[in-house]
Amino acid sequence: MSAPLTYVYCLVRAARPPSLRRAPSGMPGGGALRALEAGTHLWLIVSSVPEREYGEAVLQKGLQRLDWVGQRAVAHEAVVEHFLSSSALVPMPLFTLFTSDRRAVEHVVRDRGRLARILARVEGHLEWGLRLTWDERSARDRAGETGRAGEA
């Protein structure tokens, strides 16, 4: 049996370890969320996931199935959103995986200069997203109705 992988959701700046109470469960098949100290006031929010479900070959197959990716994207986003009240947060891309907790922390330590600049830029800010959809048929129907109403 292979060792579990460390799945990273986000990097949080906080004076104390971030509270994991009432946090979402995270990745399907994964373990409980954990906060790994990654420097002074820096915490990686992670969980352990089985390699048999998140290893490279499985990911390649799973990425071809929208339902598989979607379920995991929603789980990832729910964890990130749980920590939005932190003073600064950097979400990690979906499927950020390391072979161990130690390797995840080493990555942050190695990249601390760049990450410090990002954290300084986002500190005290909240990101909003906007989703627009376009239904061409509906728009054409409405445009046709407006045109006919003006003709009367």
Side-chain angles (χ1 to χ4, degrees), residues 35-99:
L36 301 178
E37 190 170 3
T40 305
H41 304 298
L42 292 179
W43 306 90
L44 281 173
I45 305 302
V46 305
S47 65
S48 295
V49 295
E51 186 175 12
R52 71 180 177 282
E53 293 180 40
Y54 290 89
E56 190 173 343
V58 177
L59 278 180
Q60 290 304 316
K61 283 184 178 179
L63 289 171
Q64 297 174 24
R65 295 185 16 235
L66 188 57
D67 60 326
W68 189 89
V69 174
Q71 183 182 18
R72 282 148 184 84
V74 168
H76 179 95
E77 183 64 22
V79 171
V80 171
E81 287 178 8
H82 179 78
F83 294 96
L84 285 177
S85 64
S86 303
S87 64
L89 177 137
V90 176
M92 294 297 163
L94 187 61
F95 303 121
T96 299
L97 293 156
F98 292 90
T99 56

Side-chain angles (χ1 to χ4, degrees), residues 4-7 9-10 18 20 31-36 43-49 83 100-101:
L5 301 171
T6 299
Y7 185 95
Y9 299 90
C10 55
L20 301 172
L33 293 182
R34 296 177 284 118
L36 301 178
W43 306 90
L44 281 173
I45 305 302
V46 305
S47 65
S48 295
V49 295
F83 294 96
S100 68
D101 290 356

Side-chain angles (χ1 to χ4, degrees), residues 8-13 43-44 80 88-93 114-116 118-120 122:
V8 182
Y9 299 90
C10 55
L11 177 66
V12 172
R13 180 184 286 165
W43 306 90
L44 281 173
V80 171
L89 177 137
V90 176
M92 294 297 163
R114 185 179 72 85
L115 289 169
I118 293 169
L119 286 163
V122 301

Side-chain angles (χ1 to χ4, degrees), residues 119-149:
L119 286 163
R121 193 171 67 235
V122 301
E123 188 152 17
H125 292 83
L126 187 60
E127 179 179 321
W128 287 73
L130 176 64
R131 183 186 317 223
L132 301 173
T133 59
W134 172 255
D135 181 344
E136 186 173 353
R137 174 185 253 162
S138 178
R140 286 181 187 269
D141 290 348
R142 288 183 183 192
E145 290 173 11
T146 304
R148 285 191 296 275

